[in-house]
Amino acid sequence: MITSEADTWHIDASSCLGCGQFVDWDRMPDPEQQAHIPRDILSKPPKELKKLAREGYWAASRALRAQVYHQLIQQVACRLVTPDALVYRDVANRLFGKLSVSSHPLPEFLEGCSMPTYCLNLEGVTALKKILICVGNLFPDITYSPILPSLVALLLHYSEDEAQCFENISRLIASNAPHTSYIDQSFLAHQASCMTFGDLANKHCPAAHKLIASTSENVFDVYSKWLSWLFHDLPFNYAIRIFDVYLLEGQKVLYRIALALLKQYRLSVISAELEGTDVKADLQAFMQNIAEHVTVDKLLERAFGIRLFSRKEIWLLQMANRKALMERGITMVQGRQSFHLAVDMQNFSSSIVTAQEMRVIWSWIPERFSLFPPLLLFSTSEDGCSLQRFYACCEGYEPTVLLIKTTEGEVCGAFLSSDWSERKKSGVTSGFFGTGECFVFTVRPETERYEWVFIKKPELAKAMPRSRQRSPSPSPASLLGSSPDGRGTSSNRLTVPTPQRKGRLSPFLAIRHFLLPSKTASMFMSGSREGIIIGGGGGQALSLDANLLWGRTEHCETFDNPPLCQENFKVQLLEVWGFQNT
């Protein structure tokens, strides 16, 4: 939060008399409305200010919105030396003098970026270009920032002059609040934000994500336009309402609104209609015609109904995504670069799934891993049916994807976030390890994913008192309670190991962030000489014997999944895939 409850601000309509010189009033969607403006409006507590912004209170008066913008941005914590209005006047005079703006090229960081002008008149478009040129001159560290032109254009609608607009955008650029960033300023940061949105869409919009993954050859490329949906494709009256809440709540609110738009898009299309179409272009057209589908008030209401991780947790996820990009060779100083989906449709080959099926599975994986192409680590057809060989081939790789094809032709599997060598840390007794990023899935006959239960139902954990975390360990359960022919024996049993809390945890789904009702809710993966178990509590999502020949699947508390195939099954083929990051 960037405001202080101790601050007392007053709205003075006369201070906005110069505002509007950059606006083409004939193109503004709604005429200016006169409204009574309480003088103490901005001295209200931050929570109430958020509520007012979400409800569109600023839209009642142009003077109110102009003054609110300026005052809010003046409260943004930023670097000590940040260019202000006086600096702009000096630099603009030095740069332009009597020369026209057209004689000055736009900054290189805008290469390939669009420049929406919304309702600006010709004077406003000129001012927009001048401000961007001065930003490029005074902020040489910016190497890529596609959102910047839109934010400057929106601010110009409510600025007294160019200098005030420049000072305000400079403060947003120079913000140094912890775990908060208003404007991505490099290709690395921008791509990390796009990956983070992809991760969130994967979690919160599974139906839309599945649709896009099945109809688009490059899911990452589709999500790379998420900011353009908000600040380029949406009409002005939607974009400015988003800007209202963005100034108060930061980048997290943009994720919320983009997710709400993605959910709305899924409601408006039929899967069959997208066959052979350009999904990215279809999404753009949907955003441009959003008024046909949902009002701005309803859109914001739905956006704030989405329960996201905390700002700090999202920031940690962004940092993890940045690290993955840097491992791919992306740096802070380089310009725009194109990415391609990791799964090569022409060269990918598996004995269990098709390239199209693997593309859908890869779309479920956290973005920082799916940047890398799949690498076959183990296959029963090549390496034999040996659990020890399985461990030897898979250790040292993190994460991995397990694929199983049964003799009945069913295909299922699991995404496993931790290295199988983690099983050795518990000594003589095998324990559960892994993180909340693990999930199980089915491919045939139906394609479905089952995530950690607390991703879908976080209230189950948050509602529990901390004292209940120390519940008794689960009772032993059978690995293969009965063989497919019904002649089960008591010797075919594997003790369910005790869950462990130690080891490496994902940056945003660490168990320590949840108040768990029982230990069975975090039983992700376990391995011993007797076999492997994935998911636990009331049953096991997947369990395999030491010969990797017989298996069992049941409902389990960790993933809240149904049986992934026939409950007792015989393995026809098993593969483990890693991530080729070298």
Side-chain angles (χ1 to χ4, degrees), residues 218-507:
N218 194 332
V219 180
F220 185 83
D221 187 48
V222 173
Y223 289 146
S224 70
K225 295 297 182 182
W226 78 279
L227 281 171
S228 294
W229 300 345
L230 305 179
F231 291 126
H232 179 268
D233 301 332
L234 290 180
F236 175 80
N237 56 326
Y238 283 72
I240 202 65
R241 286 287 300 279
I242 294 170
F243 195 73
D244 289 348
V245 291
Y246 165 68
L247 287 182
L248 273 164
E249 305 186 43
Q251 193 179 50
K252 181 178 177 180
V253 79
L254 302 185
Y255 287 125
R256 286 186 186 277
I257 297 168
L259 290 171
L261 285 166
L262 197 58
K263 285 176 175 283
Q264 187 65 40
Y265 172 73
R266 179 63 186 92
L267 293 174
S268 70
V269 297
I270 301 172
S271 301
E273 294 178 349
L274 287 179
E275 291 296 331
T277 64
D278 184 342
V279 178
K280 189 162 64 172
D282 199 55
L283 270 162
Q284 182 181 32
F286 173 81
M287 303 302 168
Q288 292 170 344
N289 298 290
I290 189 66
E292 298 175 7
H293 304 280
V294 64
T295 66
V296 66
D297 289 303
K298 181 59 70 173
L299 174 65
L300 291 177
E301 179 185 325
R302 291 174 180 172
F304 289 111
I306 297 173
R307 300 182 61 174
L308 292 185
F309 297 110
S310 70
R311 181 181 295 166
K312 180 179 179 180
E313 293 294 299
I314 290 176
W315 178 80
L316 288 171
L317 176 56
Q318 284 181 305
M319 292 303 101
N321 286 333
R322 283 172 67 118
K323 182 180 178 182
L325 286 165
M326 292 173 73
E327 290 176 359
R328 282 289 300 271
I330 306 301
T331 67
M332 288 289 292
V333 297
Q334 75 183 82
R336 188 179 184 185
Q337 177 178 321
S338 61
F339 270 103
H340 300 286
L341 191 67
V343 181
D344 187 332
M345 295 291 287
Q346 281 72 41
N347 298 322
F348 174 79
S349 177
S350 164
S351 300
I352 297 179
V353 295
T354 65
Q356 174 67 18
E357 289 169 335
M358 193 59 157
R359 190 172 71 185
V360 173
I361 295 169
W362 229 242
S363 76
W364 289 332
I365 294 168
E367 293 279 0
R368 65 186 184 278
F369 302 126
S370 63
L371 279 177
F372 304 101
L375 174 68
L376 184 62
L377 303 178
F378 175 84
S379 169
T380 52
S381 63
E382 297 180 8
D383 301 296
C385 298
S386 164
L387 184 59
Q388 293 310 309
R389 180 67 177 161
F390 170 93
Y391 288 141
C393 291
C394 298
E395 286 179 6
Y397 289 89
E398 178 182 280
T400 55
V401 175
L402 172 70
L403 296 176
I404 297 170
K405 182 178 181 180
T406 73
T407 53
E408 299 297 318
E410 298 169 296
V411 176
C412 59
F415 171 76
L416 304 169
S417 63
S418 297
D419 190 331
W420 278 106
S421 64
E422 291 279 318
R423 76 189 192 283
K424 300 175 181 178
K425 293 186 176 181
S426 57
V428 293
T429 60
S430 58
F432 273 97
F433 53 96
T435 74
E437 286 187 307
C438 292
F439 60 83
V440 294
F441 57 84
T442 60
V443 178
R444 282 181 238 142
E446 299 293 332
T447 305
E448 195 58 67
R449 173 184 51 160
Y450 303 94
E451 299 177 283
W452 187 26
V453 64
F454 293 114
I455 294 176
K456 297 296 182 185
K457 303 174 183 177
E459 67 278 1
L460 295 180
K462 293 182 179 179
M464 295 295 170
R466 192 175 295 274
S467 60
R468 288 193 61 186
Q469 290 186 64
R470 298 188 181 91
S471 59
S473 297
S475 59
S478 171
L479 170 63
L480 295 171
S482 60
S483 61
D485 61 5
R487 297 191 298 269
T489 64
S490 60
S491 60
N492 244 342
R493 291 183 178 273
L494 180 68
T495 303
V496 175
T498 305
Q500 293 185 333
R501 298 299 177 91
K502 296 181 180 180
R504 286 170 286 180
L505 296 172
S506 81

Side-chain angles (χ1 to χ4, degrees), residues 147-222:
I147 193 179
L148 196 54
S150 298
L151 300 184
V152 174
L154 290 171
L155 273 174
L156 268 173
H157 289 74
Y158 298 92
S159 297
E160 292 183 7
D161 53 27
E162 295 172 16
Q164 185 192 62
C165 182
F166 172 85
E167 178 174 324
N168 285 336
I169 200 67
S170 293
R171 294 189 68 86
L172 295 181
I173 292 171
S175 168
N176 60 3
H179 309 137
T180 301
S181 173
Y182 282 95
I183 303 173
D184 294 330
Q185 299 167 39
S186 67
F187 182 75
L188 175 65
H190 173 71
Q191 291 298 94
S193 294
C194 294
M195 289 169 63
T196 301
F197 177 74
D199 284 323
L200 296 173
N202 196 352
K203 303 293 181 190
H204 295 278
C205 308
H209 183 79
K210 182 178 178 181
L211 177 67
I212 292 171
S214 63
T215 55
S216 172
E217 291 190 1
N218 194 332
V219 180
F220 185 83
D221 187 48
V222 173

